């Protein structure tokens, strides 16, 4: 199971890298979304995918799934939500203000006022 | 009182929250100053406590060490927290006369306090995932501070800065996931113990290099520094000073922490790698610093040089060089903040950052000129001033270990750093005085207050190095001997 997950996560990372190297800003943001999906799935996988009950003490099971990676993922998810929404609004503002979403035209270090 | 070490995180946090609700700008200013001063007092008390009683730890919510989040304050992090608080106060006072009503109205002071929360938290935490969370607190605030105001250049550079940091944060999460699957714990002391038991096999060396990439992206080391010159060019002066003094140094602190606490068993590969990267970082930084005729760019590339110098000291791993790195790190935080604030004044007076359009400032602004001169020679490490002792110890450590090339590069870099800042001094301050549009309205005296304070502190830091030395050696003791740290946290 872990091997399958590793391959899937690898494909996610590959796609994310490809998208982040493209010219359009929206594609880049989609790439960051896929990158964070990959990272979150990786935490889950590296925590181990052994069989066990959901981590609820009311289940009275013999063994439970590791609760720690789940808490880490939950934290990482809300953080990447926050960052992604900020990034999207920034992209929208930049599109209004600079009139382009082409990364080639956002080059340079001069203050193109 | 064992809750003392959480105060430098809590005070700015509560101040930041209260500041959201306050509309009145004057009240905002007062509240932020009070919170900054309180943070300084708390961190001085913390430094003294660590000095008297050794490493301070706090198990949050009283969960025993490996199971809960533990905050750890050894001398290294306590000193960095103190330096951060001092720089925060200086940048805050500078902001009053330079940031402008428009930005102040839109939660500038609140976000400012959250940035300090993130930095102080990252210095104090003893848990690797908590470090990630504090990194995000710091980065989120820095995104907002970078883009606040919304000019074209700020929008454009924010996109790049955020993209690079989103990628490096994802890499951080990935690295933590790998580390968790190998050692099965998140507490830093416990991780170190488990790595010691496993004897650092190959997979841990791979994870070590991944940590180096992650923190190298934050701290701008050689192949990963590409985002820094553009991003730091965009924001206004006090924000630039905060970024230049604090953000990259958190990356450097994290590299120091991980490579002295976790990955010190197989130094042949990892520390050699850091050493080579550090040398290249110095070279790239120096080339940038002497190449530009733009005052901001020159100081920005000097950040990269300093990161390289500190990391070279870390990579040598002798007691001397580690002490030197700690010494130099604190010096560099103070002096970089001062230089950015001074450059901010120059740009405010002249309205340009192009050095070729500036000259003769010393006639009308002698205070700015002499403060800049002292800061410049302190940066290069001229003996009575603060940059000297750190570099001396780093170079001595390098020679002891037979790393002659690295030590020579550090020595040569001082010369070129001196050349780069003296270029600003000679071209900008000497020569025929010119008059600039709108220079009359600039409150130079008020603006000069905080860089003068920082330069004064750095002069004291240099002159009083005899008195400060015991604190610094206590800081490097935990780096040389991680057992002190582990014993304090796990209490065995």
């Amino acid at each position: 199971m872990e091997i399958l997950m590793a391959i899937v996560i690898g494909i996610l990372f590959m796609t994310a890298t490809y998208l982040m190297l493209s010219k359009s800003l929206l594609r880049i943001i989609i790439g960051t979304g896929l990158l964070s999906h990959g990272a979150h799935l990786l935490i889950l996988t590296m925590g181990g995918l052994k069989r066990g009950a959901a981590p609820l003490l009311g289940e009275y099971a013999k063994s439970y799934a590791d609760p720690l990676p789940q808490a880490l993922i939950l934290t990482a998810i809300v953080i990447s939500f926050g960052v992604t929404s900020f990034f999207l609004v920034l992209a929208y503002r930049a599109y209004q203000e600079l009139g382009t979403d082409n990364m080639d035209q956002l080059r340079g270090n001069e203050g193109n006022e | 009182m064992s809750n003392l070490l959480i105060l430098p995180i809590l005070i700015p946090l509560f101040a930041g929250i209260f500041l959201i609700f306050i509309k009145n700008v004057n009240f905002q200013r007062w509240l932020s100053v009070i919170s900054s001063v309180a943070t300084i007092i708390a961190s001085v008390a913390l430094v003294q406590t660590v000095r008297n009683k050794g490493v301070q730890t706090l198990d949050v919510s009283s969960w025993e060490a490996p199971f809960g989040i533990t905050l750890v304050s050894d001398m290294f992090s306590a000193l960095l927290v103190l330096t951060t608080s001092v720089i925060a106060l200086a940048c805050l006072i500078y902001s009053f006369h330079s940031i402008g009503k428009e930005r102040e109205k839109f939660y500038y002071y609140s976000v400012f306090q959250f940035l300090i929360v993130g930095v102080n938290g990252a210095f104090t935490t003893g848990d690797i995932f908590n470090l990630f969370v504090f990194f995000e607190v710091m980065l989120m605030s820095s995104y907002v501070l970078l883009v606040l105001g919304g000019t074209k250049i700020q929008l454009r550079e924010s996109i790049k800065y955020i993209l690079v940091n989103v990628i490096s944060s994802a890499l951080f999460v990935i690295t933590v996931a790998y580390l968790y699957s190998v050692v099965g714990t998140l507490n830093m002391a416990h991780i170190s113990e488990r790595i010691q038991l496993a004897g650092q096999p190959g997979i841990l060396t791979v994870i070590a290099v991944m940590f180096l990439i992650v923190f190298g992206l934050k701290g701008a080391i050689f192949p990963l520094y590409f985002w820094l010159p553009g991003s730091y060019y965009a924001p206004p002066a006090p924000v630039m000073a905060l970024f230049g003094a604090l953000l990259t140094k958190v990356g450097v602190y994290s590299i120091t922490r991980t490579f002295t606490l976790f990955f010190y068993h197989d130094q042949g590969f990892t520390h050699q790698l850091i050493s080579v990267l550090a040398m290249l970082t110095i070279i790239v930084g120096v080339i940038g610093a002497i190449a530009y005729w733009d005052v901001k760019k020159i100081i920005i590339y000097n950040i990269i040089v300093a990161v390289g110098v500190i990391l070279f000291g870390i990579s040598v791993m002798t007691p001397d060089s580690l002490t030197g790195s700690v010494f130099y790190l604190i010096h560099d935080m103070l002096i970089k903040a001062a230089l950015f604030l001074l450059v901010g004044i120059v740009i405010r007076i002249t309205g340009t950052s192009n050095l070729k359009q500036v000259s003769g400032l010393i006639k009308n602004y002698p205070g700015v000129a002499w403060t800049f001169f002292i800061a410049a020679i302190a940066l290069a490490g001229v003996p009575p001033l603060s940059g000297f002792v750190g570099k001396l110890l780093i170079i001595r450590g390098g020679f002891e270990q037979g790393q002659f090339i690295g030590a020579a590069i550090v020595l040569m870099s001082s010369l070129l750093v001196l050349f780069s800042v003296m270029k600003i001094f000679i071209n900008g301050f000497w020569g025929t005085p010119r008059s600039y549009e709108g220079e009359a309205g600039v409150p130079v005296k008020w603006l000069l207050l905080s860089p003068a304070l920082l330069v004064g502190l750095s002069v004291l830091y240099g002159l009083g190095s005899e008195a400060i030395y015991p604190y610094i050696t206590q800081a490097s003791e935990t780096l040389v001997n991680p057992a002190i740290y582990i014993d304090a946290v796990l209490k065995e």
Side-chain angles (χ1 to χ4, degrees):
Chain A
M1 191 62 191
E2 276 90 348
I3 296 197
L4 184 65
M5 287 298 279
I7 292 168
V8 171
I9 295 163
I11 292 171
L12 275 176
F13 284 161
M14 184 187 76
T15 323
T17 315
Y18 178 75
L19 283 173
M20 285 189 296
L21 291 174
S22 54
K23 276 185 189 172
S24 153
L25 188 52
L26 264 185
R27 277 167 166 268
I28 291 173
I29 297 177
I30 294 171
T32 62
L34 290 178
L35 184 68
S36 61
H37 281 332
H40 299 155
L41 281 177
L42 188 74
I43 307 181
L44 194 68
T45 313
M46 297 314 260
L49 295 173
K50 297 171 290 291
R51 287 182 177 278
L56 297 167
L57 287 176
E59 298 273 314
Y60 301 109
K62 280 217 177 80
S63 68
Y64 293 95
D66 189 350
L68 194 59
Q70 303 189 10
L72 301 189
I73 292 171
L74 202 58
T75 315
I77 285 175
V78 290
I79 289 174
S80 70
F81 259 2
V83 176
T84 306
S85 48
F86 187 80
F87 200 178
L88 277 169
V89 174
L90 179 70
Y92 180 61
R93 268 291 279 155
Y95 177 68
Q96 282 182 324
E97 198 73 15
L98 304 166
T100 177
D101 75 331
N102 187 341
M103 291 308 279
D104 272 354
Q105 288 170 17
L106 295 174
R107 276 193 187 170
N109 292 319
E110 305 308 315
N112 52 358
E113 302 285 329
Chain B
M1 196 172 78
S2 64
N3 284 340
L4 180 63
L5 74 166
I6 207 171
L7 283 183
I9 307 173
L10 274 191
I11 295 170
L13 178 65
F14 280 119
I17 293 170
F18 281 126
L19 283 166
I20 295 176
F21 301 104
I22 296 167
K23 283 246 161 62
N24 185 328
V25 169
N26 272 328
F27 192 31
Q28 283 192 17
R29 290 177 174 181
W30 274 108
L31 191 60
S32 355
V33 166
I34 290 167
S35 129
S36 284
V37 172
T39 317
I40 292 178
I41 293 168
S43 31
V44 170
L46 179 61
V47 168
Q48 275 310 324
T49 318
V50 176
R51 175 83 187 126
N52 295 329
K53 296 186 189 154
V55 181
Q56 295 289 302
T57 64
L58 172 67
D59 296 331
V60 179
S61 312
S62 303
W63 289 95
E64 294 266 316
F67 303 112
I69 286 174
T70 310
L71 299 178
V72 188
S73 213
D74 61 348
M75 188 52 99
F76 186 32
S77 60
L79 283 175
L80 289 176
V81 166
L82 175 60
T83 319
T84 305
S85 315
V86 171
I87 289 168
L89 180 65
C91 291
L92 192 66
I93 295 171
Y94 189 92
S95 306
F96 293 165
H97 293 274
S98 79
I99 200 77
K101 280 271 183 295
E102 278 309 303
R103 287 190 169 97
E104 280 180 324
K105 257 192 283 182
F106 291 102
Y107 307 104
Y108 173 77
Y109 294 116
S110 191
V111 181
F112 189 104
Q113 297 291 339
F114 287 131
L115 185 83
I116 306 304
V117 174
V119 175
N120 279 349
F123 286 146
T124 316
T125 185
D127 183 285
I128 196 78
F129 197 76
N130 198 229
L131 178 67
F132 165 72
V133 174
F134 275 122
F135 260 113
E136 288 303 312
V137 172
M138 173 186 98
L139 289 172
M140 272 297 247
S141 327
S142 73
Y143 303 154
V144 178
L145 283 180
L146 183 59
V147 82
L148 191 68
T151 59
K152 282 180 177 168
I153 180 169
Q154 279 179 309
L155 287 168
R156 199 184 61 203
E157 295 305 329
S158 298
I159 290 175
K160 299 170 192 171
Y161 180 72
I162 292 180
L163 180 62
V164 167
N165 280 304
V166 165
I167 294 169
S168 79
S169 296
L171 271 177
F172 197 170
V173 172
I174 293 164
T175 316
V176 170
Y178 284 144
L179 187 64
Y180 180 71
S181 78
V182 175
V183 298
T185 177
L186 295 170
N187 182 295
M188 279 150 83
H190 203 212
I191 291 172
S192 171
E193 211 177 48
R194 292 257 172 105
I195 289 177
Q196 194 176 14
L197 286 178
Q200 200 172 341
I203 181 71
L204 281 168
T205 307
V206 173
I207 293 173
V209 174
M210 285 187 69
F211 268 121
L212 184 64
I213 294 171
V214 170
F215 296 137
L217 263 168
K218 318 266 185 200
I221 64 175
F222 160 62
L224 309 167
Y225 69 95
F226 54 86
W227 55 273
L228 185 132
S231 301
Y232 281 20
Y233 195 81
V239 176
M240 202 160 62
L242 268 186
F243 283 18
L246 303 179
L247 297 196
T248 52
K249 306 305 183 291
V250 179
V252 173
Y253 165 82
S254 307
I255 291 177
T256 314
R257 195 49 98 200
T258 43
F259 283 85
T260 55
L261 187 61
F262 301 171
F263 309 112
Y264 58 95
H265 305 286
D266 181 17
Q267 295 185 7
F269 179 70
T270 48
H271 289 64
Q272 192 68 43
L273 181 66
I274 300 178
S275 151
V276 172
L277 290 182
M279 289 179 216
L280 290 169
T281 309
I282 298 173
I283 292 170
V284 167
V286 161
I287 291 174
I290 54 179
Y292 281 96
W293 280 87
D294 185 302
V295 279
K296 277 200 246 178
K297 276 275 154 68
I298 293 173
I299 310 295
I300 286 170
Y301 276 96
N302 273 313
I303 300 178
I304 300 175
V305 180
V307 167
V309 171
I310 296 163
L311 280 185
F312 176 71
I314 303 294
S315 74
V316 175
M317 279 294 264
T318 64
D320 258 357
S321 72
L322 286 170
T323 314
S325 284
V326 177
F327 218 103
Y328 196 76
L329 180 58
I330 293 167
H331 142 81
D332 190 64
M333 288 166 81
L334 289 173
I335 215 75
K336 282 286 145 56
L339 278 172
F340 273 117
L341 295 178
L342 285 165
V343 159
I345 299 177
V346 171
I347 293 171
R348 188 78 186 277
I349 292 169
T350 62
T352 175
S353 61
N354 187 344
L355 203 47
K356 292 191 171 154
Q357 293 170 20
V358 180
S359 72
L361 287 175
I362 199 165
K363 180 144 192 301
N364 293 327
Y365 306 99
V368 180
W370 291 114
T371 320
F372 187 89
F373 182 73
I374 296 169
I377 56 175
L379 179 72
V382 174
L385 297 165
S386 59
F388 173 68
V389 187
K391 256 184 198 162
L392 177 73
L393 289 170
I394 291 174
I395 290 165
R396 199 163 77 183
F399 279 131
E400 269 169 16
Q401 287 289 302
Q403 303 235 19
F404 297 110
I405 301 175
I409 288 177
V410 172
L411 268 179
M412 281 300 291
S413 79
S414 304
L415 187 65
L416 294 173
V417 161
L418 183 64
F419 169 72
S420 72
V421 274
M422 276 305 138
K423 188 163 87 178
I424 300 181
F425 187 74
I426 290 171
N427 288 288
F429 290 96
W430 287 356
T432 42
R434 299 189 197 180
S435 64
Y436 304 95
E437 232 176 285
E439 67 175 312
V442 181
V444 175
K445 269 184 194 153
W446 283 107
L447 292 177
L448 190 58
L449 188 67
S450 30
L453 173 85
L454 288 174
V455 170
L457 272 178
S458 102
V459 169
L460 284 181
Y461 184 65
L463 293 178
S465 35
E466 197 70 40
I468 295 162
Y469 195 69
Y471 290 86
I472 308 282
T473 41
Q474 196 187 351
S476 62
E477 248 168 36
T478 39
L479 303 180
V480 176
N481 182 8
I484 301 173
Y485 186 96
I486 297 167
D487 287 345
V489 176
L490 298 176
K491 299 188 187 81
E492 282 162 31

